[in-house]
Structures are given as C-alpha cells and as structure tokens.
C-alpha cells in the first residue's frame, strides 16, 4: 500500500493525500492512479522524492465527472477530450456521445427484432415441413423508423443519376419515369417489387423523380439526388468539398453487389448488402475529401433507399429525411442525427423551439473525412433498416433545405396533391423557394405501383 506522507509543498497549501481525495471524490486510490496514468486526472502535486500524489479538493468535481462518464460507458480516450472542455462544450460532447449510443442501440434492436422474426418464421416453416402440412415460408422483416451551396434555376436529376448542377445531355430535365423496366424480356432492373409466384403474380415497380435547386441565397449547390430502378438517394454536402462528398456518397451506392442480381434477395442478404453499401459510402466520402485543405471539415448527410423484391433497404445518416405517404397519412421514417433532435428527444427542447435554435444545423453523425475537430460531431456508420413496400405507397426523400423551411402539414399537402412524382418534386422545390430558399434543396419522390 502506498504510504501517504504530506510533502512540504502540500503542507503549505490546501492539498490532500490520495487517500483523503479518494474519500472526498468517492473513487478508489487505484482508480485515481489509473486516471493519472491515462492523463484524465493529474494530481496537483507529485512529490519528486517519494512520488506520492497530492490533490486539490477542487479537483473532486472533475474526478466525479470522469467516474460518471465511465458509468455511461464512454471510452477513456473520449473522456480525456470531455474533461478538457468547458462546461458548455462538455455538455454538447456528452449529448453527442449519448445520441450515438441511442442510435446504435436502436439499430441493434431492429436487427434483434429482425432475427426474432426471421428465426420464428424458419421455425414455423420447419414445423410445417416435418408435419407434411406445407412448404417453407418467407421470413418476415422488422420495419424501420434522417449545406452549403444562390439563386438559380432548379437542377434536374433524371433517373440516370446526374450530379449536382448537371442536366441530361439532351438539355431537357427528364424528371418523371417508371424506374423499373417493363415487359417480360426487360433486363437491368428489378424483376418484381412486390407479391410473387403463380400465374396471378403482381409486379410492383417504382415511378420516381428527383430534383435539386441551389435556392435563393447560396451560390453553390452541394446537394445531390438520384432516382433509379434500384436506388433513391439524397445527400446534403457541407464544407470545402461538400459537393464532392455528396456526389461520392450516392455514387458509392450505385454499383452495389446486390443491384445486378435477378429476382428478390432474402432479407438476410439485403441486410448484409446494406451494411456493405454503407461502408462503401463512408470510404467514398473519405477519399473524396482527402485532397481538401481541411478534410475533417467536409462531409455529407445521406438518406437512401435500395430496392429489391417487396422490400426496400434504408440507409440513413445526418438530418436529411425520408417520409412515407400511406393511406393519406405522412410518416417520417428517419430520425435526425442532430443536436436539436437529441434535445427534443430528452425533453430539453420542443419541436417549435428547435426550428429557431442556433445549433439546429449542428450534426451529431455524418459521413466525413478524418475525425472532425468539432467535438460535437462523431464520424459514424449510417443506420440501416429494412421495410416492406406496398402498392400505393409514395416516398419522399429530402435534404433539410426543404424540411427545415416547410412544415410537415404543407409537405403532406404537396405530396398528396401531386398526380405524379415529377409534379411533386417541382412543387416541393417551389415551396422551399417561396419560404425564402435559404439553403440548397434536394428531393426525390417515388410511387410504388402495381403492373401486370
């Protein structure tokens, strides 16, 4: 056991021995020595002769903070950053950490529920097979629950996927079209997006449109959007290379391995494909911004849907959003990874207050370059979810250049009233511009329809 003999310097001040400080801070002497070794809590004085540690009683609050952060599971390396901050910045950092924990817990919960449904379905199918009463059935899915850039013309993005600011080579904005090939001999698109099997098979296809707009204030468009037979996506870039980041994130999803397969993937295969494409998007953004003067300050949000069979996979990070219009009701199916959303979640802020909060644009999760210097942002993987598609569904994907200035009631009215996706995206961009168009806008609208 370490002898605790006061040094002359300690006697002249208000310092206490490690044993006394352990009692004061309610930490063990072993923990205090460990925190010292890791640089989390240095003693006020170390005797140069015998190496005894002495602490200022005022350090007790910092010591308790370290202990509390350990109790919520924060890694020691991150605790070191928190304790070096002032109280306000530390609170933002802790909020960011916990929002990430909750998002990851939610994703793990969804995966657990999928596994329960999947294995339960397999168990029922095996029972039927062993009893000779039926064949194996399909597994079930767990459903999922979220720039920079002046006045200018709206920039059309056809189903062929043009980058920010580009137009089709013909010069005409090819906005609306069926995003799946038709006819029995068609190739290169989904075989079916709905019920399958038998002579009465019903094929579901998507008809979609995408549109971006620079807005009324910014001079550069860093938003990107894409609508195609396998992919719907919006990305909201930020920083020096925001436009490159948003384009790279979407491009990384286009050649996904599952996209070239015929027929419907199983839920398990689709979930694996989503994980792979999410990782690809993260790497693509890091590579795209690596050449910048400050790669850690550039990045993008990403909200994308990848289609196969009757299912769709949702990939989401940041505060771009996805909405579902079903049976006349508009549902938001993504959760913003932002400071204000975290404050809404814990009751510190109302949705009405969030609209004018000074940190409403501050993200907790995004696809970025290297680790960002801002303590409130965490480099993280996108959330991935599975959902079932139904005939009659209409999906809206948009950047916050739309959702932050147009309330959900007006979004619902615009999305419901439009006859076709191309009319919907034009109407939505028009609403953003009427609201002042302070930011770039990107939106995709897709209808799930029955054919055949």
């Amino acid at each position: 056991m370490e002898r605790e003999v006061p040094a002359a310097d300690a006697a002249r001040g208000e310092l206490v021995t490690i044993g006394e400080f352990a009692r004061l801070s309610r930490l063990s002497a072993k923990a205090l020595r460990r925190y010292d070794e890791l640089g989390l809590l240095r003693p006020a004085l170390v005797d140069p002769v015998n190496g005894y540690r002495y602490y200022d009683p005022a350090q007790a609050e910092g010591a308790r903070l370290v202990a509390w952060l350990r109790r919520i599971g924060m890694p020691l390396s991150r605790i070191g950053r928190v304790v070096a901050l002032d109280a306000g910045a530390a609170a933002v950092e802790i909020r960011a950490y916990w929002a990430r924990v909750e998002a990851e817990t939610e994703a793990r919960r969804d995966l657990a529920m999928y596994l329960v449904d999947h294995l339960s379905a397999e168990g029922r199918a095996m029972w039927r097979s062993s009893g000779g009463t039926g064949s194996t059935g399909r597994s079930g899915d767990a459903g999922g629950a979220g720039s920079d850039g002046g006045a200018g013309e709206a920039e059309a993005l056809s189903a062929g996927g043009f980058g920010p600011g580009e137009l089709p080579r013909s010069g005409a904005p090819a906005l609306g079209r069926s995003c799946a090939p038709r006819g029995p001999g068609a190739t290169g698109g989904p075989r079916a997006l709905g019920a399958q099997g038998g002579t009465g098979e019903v094929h579901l296809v998507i008809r979609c449109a995408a549109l971006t707009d620079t807005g009324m204030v910014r001079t550069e468009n860093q938003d990107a959007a894409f609508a195609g037979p396998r992919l719907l996506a919006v990305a909201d870039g930020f920083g020096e290379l925001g436009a490159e980041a948003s384009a790279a994130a979407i491009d990384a999803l286009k050649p996904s391995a599952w996209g070239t397969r015929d027929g419907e993937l199983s839920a398990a295969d689709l979930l694996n494909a989503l994980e792979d494409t999410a990782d690809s998007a993260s790497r693509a953004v890091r590579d795209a911004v690596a050449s910048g003067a400050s790669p850690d300050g550039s990045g993008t949000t990403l909200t994308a849907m990848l289609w196969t069979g009757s299912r769709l996979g949702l990939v989401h990070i940041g505060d771009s959003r996805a909405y579902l219009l079903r049976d006349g009701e508009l549902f938001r199916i993504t959760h913003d990874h932002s400071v204000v959303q975290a404050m809404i979640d814990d009751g510190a802020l109302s949705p009405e207050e969030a609209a004018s909060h000074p940190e409403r644009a501050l993200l907790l999760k995004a696809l970025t370059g290297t680790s960002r210097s801002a303590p409130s942002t965490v480099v993280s993987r996108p959330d991935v979810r599975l959902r079932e598609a139904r005939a009659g569904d209409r999906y809206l994907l948009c950047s916050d250049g739309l959702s932050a200035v147009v309330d959900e009631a007006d979004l619902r009215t615009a999305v419901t009233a439009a006859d076709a996706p191309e009319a919907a995206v034009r109407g939505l961009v028009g609403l953003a511009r009427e609201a002042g168009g302070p930011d770039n806008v990107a939106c995709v609208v897709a209808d799930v329809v029955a054919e055949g």
Side-chain angles (χ1 to χ4, degrees), residues 29-244:
K30 180 179 179 180
L32 290 173
R33 285 191 288 270
R34 177 64 172 159
Y35 295 162
D36 179 16
E37 293 168 359
L38 295 172
L40 300 179
L41 185 69
R42 297 291 193 189
L45 173 69
V46 178
D47 192 296
V49 177
N50 53 36
Y52 295 153
R53 297 173 173 86
Y54 299 93
Y55 293 83
D56 188 325
Q59 291 180 279
E61 184 174 355
R64 286 192 289 266
L65 175 60
V66 172
W68 290 333
L69 293 175
R70 290 294 293 148
R71 288 181 65 183
I72 67 173
M74 184 177 287
L76 289 171
S77 59
R78 188 160 184 175
I79 291 175
R81 297 202 304 270
V82 173
V83 297
L85 300 172
D86 60 48
V92 172
E93 175 73 2
I94 295 169
R95 186 187 301 279
Y97 168 75
W98 194 247
R100 178 179 180 180
V101 169
E102 289 183 329
E104 292 175 346
T105 300
E106 184 180 13
R108 289 195 296 269
R109 182 198 65 203
D110 288 347
L111 177 57
M113 291 302 97
Y114 155 71
L115 291 173
V116 169
D117 290 346
H118 177 68
L119 295 174
S120 297
E122 282 195 350
R124 289 193 297 270
M126 291 175 64
W127 179 84
R128 293 191 192 100
S129 179
S130 63
T133 59
S135 59
T136 58
R138 261 177 41 192
S139 62
D141 296 315
S147 310
D148 300 307
E153 292 296 324
E155 295 161 346
L157 290 154
S158 78
F162 297 88
E166 294 183 27
L167 290 172
R169 287 191 178 91
S170 65
L175 282 169
R177 57 185 289 185
S178 169
C179 292
R182 304 185 184 184
T187 60
R191 179 172 63 86
L193 291 172
Q196 301 183 30
T199 56
E201 177 177 326
V202 176
H203 291 261
L204 297 182
V205 297
I206 53 172
R207 293 196 176 94
C208 51
L211 189 64
T212 68
D213 184 54
T214 304
M216 305 292 288
V217 175
R218 301 192 184 275
T219 58
E220 180 186 5
N221 192 353
Q222 294 188 313
D223 284 9
F226 182 89
R230 297 277 186 165
L231 173 66
L232 309 171
V234 297
D236 182 354
F238 56 82
E240 175 194 9
L241 296 175
E244 289 80 358

Side-chain angles (χ1 to χ4, degrees), residues 305-317:
M305 289 182 170
L306 299 95
W307 297 78
T308 180
S310 61
R311 297 182 180 91
L312 62 86
L314 178 65
V315 178
H316 169 70
I317 188 168

Side-chain angles (χ1 to χ4, degrees), residues 145 274 303-305 312-316 322 333-334 383-386:
L274 289 175
T303 301
M305 289 182 170
L312 62 86
L314 178 65
V315 178
H316 169 70
I333 58 174
T334 53
D383 298 339
V384 296
R385 310 282 173 81
L386 299 179

